[in-house]
């Protein structure tokens, strides 16, 4: 179990968001009446939409917030990227509502992310950050190259706040981790209630999968492949020793620094197993069978993914299980099918992959053991 989820359930991106509560519960929360008191909940009638509940002259009004093609709107005239922007707009101007929003009904037992990041020393100042150019698209929003007080940094900007909470959770996880093979968090900016930025070290050579594909066999020697494998195993050994489960380990989520050090990134999925409802969104080819089947995520399911990642490294960024249709992967893997060694992959390295792909989780090695084995292989290669 990771120790992060407990924390993140209390640290909220926004405290007026009450999640899945009913119309009646919302009305109770907005009692006694106070014009301008408001909250936002998930719509019960229209899954995926939200409801803005506002107290107005003794009555509670419920406005449906429609979510359509990535934007939010109440009146289908003004559109917003996220709930925070919507709330800001209707705070400044009633714009057709019974009243403007005046006082958020805060969720009890929570603290605001902004306060928590400031308190713990992770809050950065927006004025010190210049955004320069888009580096890539992330699940939660764009990743942008930035300049923070003269150094290059990578900045993840929030897209919409169906993910705001996950975004905050990712940053919280990162505040607890520090290792040379993990992409380092530099800080967080929570700006005027409507934008969130996660600032990390800039990884000049991009994702490992792109790095492998663009250079290929002719450029990258065995020594280099082994070095990447070892880098990742060290980062994962650190996560293992801190009881963190990554859940999305793959070459696309490993980044390469200017001086060719591979670092694990993307702690976005690091959340409670129960929070993963939609198993169809999991990266099937990287996820251990027990994790797909029973949502049993553990360090041992990360070990499975590490085996796939090794295969990606030694095949120079190929997509795993080539020539097998996605729907056939799981049934075949469950029957014990394992990928062949990539062309030119040393048998000792292939042996490490196969250990990671034991169906029995207890038979899979720990990351400590994996790191030791890879170090062994490296030491032997040096003598050849
Ligand atoms: P998500 O997991 O939310 O989809 P990622 O963190 O994987 O987003 O980022 C998407 C892409 O942005 C990466 O594949 C990479 O190309 C680029 N990127 C992300 N973080 C950095 C960084 N620290 N330095 C350089 N490029 C980055
Ligand atoms: Mg990613």
């Amino acid at each position: 179990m990771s120790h992060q989820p407990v924390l993140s359930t209390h640290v909220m991106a926004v405290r007026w968001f009450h999640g899945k509560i009913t119309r009646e519960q919302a009305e109770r929360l907005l009692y006694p009446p106070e014009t301008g008191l408001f909250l936002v909940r998930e719509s019960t009638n229209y899954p995926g939409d939200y409801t803005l509940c506002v107290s107005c002259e003794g009555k509670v009004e419920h406005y449906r917030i429609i979510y359509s093609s990535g934007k939010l709107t109440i009146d289908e005239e003004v559109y917003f990227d996220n709930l925070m922007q919507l709330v800001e707009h209707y705070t400044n101007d009633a714009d057709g509502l019974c009243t403007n929003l005046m006082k958020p009904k805060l969720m009890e037992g929570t603290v605001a992310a902004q306060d928590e990041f400031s308190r713990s020393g992770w809050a950065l100042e927006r004025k010190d950050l210049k955004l320069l150019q888009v580096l890539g698209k992330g699940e939660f929003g764009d990743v942008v190259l930035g300049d923070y007080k003269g150094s290059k940094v990578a900045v993840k900007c929030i897209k919409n706040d169906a993910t705001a909470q996950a975004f905050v959770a990712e940053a919280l996880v990162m505040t607890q981790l520090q290792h040379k093979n993990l992409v380092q968090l530099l800080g967080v900016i929570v700006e005027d209630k409507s934008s969130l930025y996660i600032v990390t070290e800039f990884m000049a050579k991009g994702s490992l999968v792109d790095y492998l594909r663009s250079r290929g066999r002719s450029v990258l020697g065995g020594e280099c492949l082994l070095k990447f494998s070892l880098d990742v195993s060290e980062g994962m050994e650190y996560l293992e020793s801190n009881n963190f489960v990554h859940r999305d380990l793959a070459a696309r989520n490993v980044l390469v620094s200017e001086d060719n050090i591979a670092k694990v990134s993307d702690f976005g999925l690091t959340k409670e197993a129960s929070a993963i409802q939609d198993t169809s969104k999991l990266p099937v080819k990287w996820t251990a069978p027990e994790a797909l089947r029973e949502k049993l995520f553990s360090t041992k399911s990360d070990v499975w993914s590490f085996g796939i990642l090794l295969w990606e490294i030694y095949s120079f960024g190929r997509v795993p299980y080539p020539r097998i249709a996605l729907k056939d992967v799981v049934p075949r893997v469950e029957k014990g099918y394992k990928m062949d060694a990539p062309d030119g992959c040393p048998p000792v390295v292939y042996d490490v992959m196969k250990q990671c792909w034991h169906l029995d989780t207890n038979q899979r090695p720990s990351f400590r053991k994996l790191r030791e084995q890879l170090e062994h292989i490296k030491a032997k290669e040096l003598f050849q």
Side-chain angles (χ1 to χ4, degrees):
M1 253 343 257
S2 48
H3 44 270
Q4 161 271 325
V6 183
L7 245 176
S8 70
T9 52
H10 298 290
V11 181
M12 307 301 281
V14 288
R15 293 184 65 201
W16 38 254
F17 184 68
H18 290 247
K20 236 186 196 110
I21 58 167
T22 62
R23 187 183 179 92
E24 291 70 31
Q25 283 170 316
E27 294 189 352
R28 243 173 280 138
L29 283 167
L30 296 176
Y31 189 86
E34 180 180 344
T35 296
L37 187 67
F38 73 96
L39 62 83
V40 178
R41 61 182 170 94
E42 286 177 37
S43 169
T44 37
N45 294 342
Y46 307 93
D49 287 356
Y50 302 99
T51 308
L52 172 62
C53 312
V54 194
S55 176
C56 197
E57 289 165 18
K59 217 167 138 262
V60 174
E61 299 287 346
H62 299 261
Y63 298 96
R64 179 177 170 199
I65 304 172
I66 303 163
Y67 180 77
S68 91
S69 45
K71 297 269 184 188
L72 297 165
T73 182
I74 291 180
D75 54 12
E76 299 187 56
E77 278 174 32
V78 197
Y79 288 81
F80 306 93
D81 288 329
N82 60 51
L83 287 174
M84 295 175 280
Q85 285 174 9
L86 181 143
V87 164
E88 203 181 3
H89 176 84
Y90 290 105
T91 298
N92 298 334
D93 183 356
D95 196 10
L97 306 188
C98 59
T99 167
N100 66 323
L101 309 178
M102 289 186 246
K103 184 174 163 188
K105 175 67 195 176
L106 302 180
M107 195 160 159
E108 266 179 52
T110 62
V111 297
Q114 187 165 22
D115 299 341
E116 192 58 21
F117 287 124
S118 302
R119 192 194 54 74
S120 57
W122 288 98
L124 304 179
E125 296 243 25
R126 179 65 182 87
K127 68 168 173 52
D128 294 328
L129 177 72
K130 284 195 235 23
L131 298 176
L132 303 175
Q133 79 189 67
V134 175
L135 293 168
K137 287 241 174 294
E139 187 196 348
F140 302 150
D142 287 346
V143 181
V144 180
L145 172 65
D147 178 300
Y148 184 77
K149 294 184 174 174
S151 0
K152 281 184 177 177
V153 293
V155 186
K156 252 189 196 184
C157 310
I158 193 157
K159 187 169 58 182
N160 68 59
D161 45 15
T163 53
Q165 197 50 40
F167 197 80
V168 165
E170 175 170 359
L172 282 168
V173 170
M174 294 182 85
T175 61
Q176 300 169 48
L177 303 168
Q178 205 160 349
H179 186 271
K180 68 177 175 63
N181 298 112
L182 298 184
V183 173
Q184 182 59 48
L185 177 74
L186 299 174
V188 177
I189 299 170
V190 189
E191 190 193 27
D192 58 39
K193 298 185 182 68
S194 57
S195 340
L196 273 170
Y197 305 95
I198 295 182
V199 183
T200 66
E201 65 175 309
F202 172 58
M203 300 293 284
K205 294 188 177 163
S207 87
L208 179 59
V209 72
D210 295 335
Y211 185 93
L212 294 163
R213 284 176 190 165
S214 61
R215 275 101 178 154
R217 200 176 294 276
S218 53
V219 177
L220 303 172
E223 209 177 301
C224 178
L225 301 183
L226 192 56
K227 167 69 166 48
F228 286 144
S229 310
L230 246 173
D231 281 348
V232 176
S233 73
E234 287 177 51
M236 292 308 297
E237 180 184 4
Y238 170 83
L239 286 187
E240 173 179 78
S241 65
N242 284 283
N243 292 318
F244 269 102
V245 181
H246 188 290
R247 292 165 207 269
D248 196 13
L249 183 60
R252 64 180 171 277
N253 289 333
V254 173
L255 300 172
V256 183
S257 71
E258 180 63 46
D259 45 356
N260 295 320
I261 299 171
K263 306 190 186 202
V264 177
S265 86
D266 233 333
F267 304 97
L269 268 182
T270 319
K271 58 185 157 199
E272 280 179 285
S274 59
I276 298 177
Q277 286 162 356
D278 191 357
T279 41
S280 68
K281 281 205 183 134
L282 289 171
V284 168
K285 290 180 168 184
W286 282 263
T287 307
E290 76 279 2
L292 286 173
R293 210 172 44 233
E294 298 152 72
K295 300 183 194 170
L296 285 174
F297 286 89
S298 63
T299 297
K300 295 297 186 182
S301 58
D302 279 351
V303 167
W304 178 287
S305 310
F306 180 74
I308 306 286
L309 168 57
L310 276 182
W311 188 93
E312 292 183 274
I313 292 176
Y314 280 85
S315 61
F316 299 92
R318 284 188 81 180
V319 177
Y321 303 100
R323 290 184 295 277
I324 299 183
L326 192 60
K327 67 171 177 42
D328 298 330
V329 171
V330 178
R332 290 189 61 177
V333 166
E334 296 229 345
K335 285 200 195 86
Y337 172 82
K338 292 180 178 52
M339 281 189 281
D340 292 335
D343 280 349
C345 174
V348 279
V349 175
Y350 183 50
D351 182 61
V352 175
M353 290 177 204
K354 283 193 295 188
Q355 292 173 39
C356 297
W357 300 333
H358 261 295
L359 289 176
D360 178 357
T361 52
N362 295 315
Q363 305 264 351
R364 292 177 208 156
S366 62
F367 279 108
R368 193 167 75 91
K369 280 262 150 29
L370 288 164
R371 194 259 307 151
E372 286 171 2
Q373 289 189 46
L374 292 167
E375 273 179 350
H376 236 88
I377 295 170
K378 184 177 166 189
K380 273 198 193 147
E381 273 192 359
L382 288 178
F383 286 109
Q384 273 171 9

